[in-house]
Amino acid sequence: MFETKTQIEFIKKYITHIVVAIILALALVIYLLSQFMTGDSGAVIVMVDGRETGVYSLYEDREIRIETQEGYNLLVIGEGQAYVAEADCSNQVCVHTQPVSESGGQIICLPHQVVIRLKTTEERDVDAVTN
């Protein structure tokens, strides 16, 4: 009888701590699952002649051939970045542009009227501050 009473007192005394620990553990599990399921939802947006023609995950490796009336661009997405591997335009500026991996980064091919833009959940409102 004495042991049971001591156990009940122990549970009453520490019930708040136990409940808080359980709630924190559940919150941590939910947070980790949401991070694992969604990750950093980055998107590569392809626009041709001012119209959106495709949206692709920044974290799914692939090659996309962008066909236009003026020619083609080969977009490569991999390892959290995007770049143009080849194009049949005359100036090849898009091919020599550095890979984009940050939100707001762009690759533009003027001869083909192609704009490749990155958008992530880390979108920033302020680009620069000047005096």
Side-chain angles (χ1 to χ4, degrees):
M1 179 97 178
F2 183 75
E3 258 183 61
T4 307
K5 190 174 183 181
T6 307
Q7 289 175 346
I8 291 173
E9 287 176 14
F10 175 79
I11 291 173
K12 283 182 182 179
K13 185 176 180 183
Y14 293 102
I15 192 83
T16 304
H17 294 94
I18 294 169
V19 169
V20 168
I22 291 172
I23 290 172
L24 288 175
L26 286 173
L28 179 64
V29 168
I30 291 170
Y31 172 76
L32 292 175
L33 283 175
S34 70
Q35 288 297 100
F36 177 73
M37 298 296 277
T38 60
D40 182 18
S41 56
V44 179
I45 302 166
V46 177
M47 299 182 75
V48 176
D49 198 21
R51 290 180 306 232
E52 187 176 294
T53 59
V55 178
Y56 307 95
S57 171
L58 182 60
Y59 300 100
E60 185 177 325
D61 296 353
R62 60 172 49 185
E63 290 185 359
I64 299 133
R65 187 176 170 100
I66 304 166
E67 295 283 345
T68 70
Q69 292 179 356
E70 291 78 20
Y72 79 94
N73 297 74
L74 182 62
L75 171 65
V76 177
I77 301 171
E79 299 179 13
Q81 62 183 7
Y83 62 94
V84 175
E86 64 182 64
D88 64 350
C89 57
S90 58
N91 62 16
Q92 298 287 299
V93 171
C94 57
V95 175
H96 298 295
T97 300
Q98 292 292 318
V100 290
S101 60
E102 293 184 13
S103 187
Q106 294 186 31
I107 301 172
I108 299 172
C109 180
L110 287 178
H112 294 164
Q113 298 178 0
V114 172
V115 176
I116 300 163
R117 181 173 179 261
L118 240 58
K119 184 173 183 180
T120 65
T121 55
E122 299 170 359
E123 193 79 34
R124 291 175 274 178
D125 292 334
V126 178
D127 205 20
V129 178
T130 61
N131 286 335

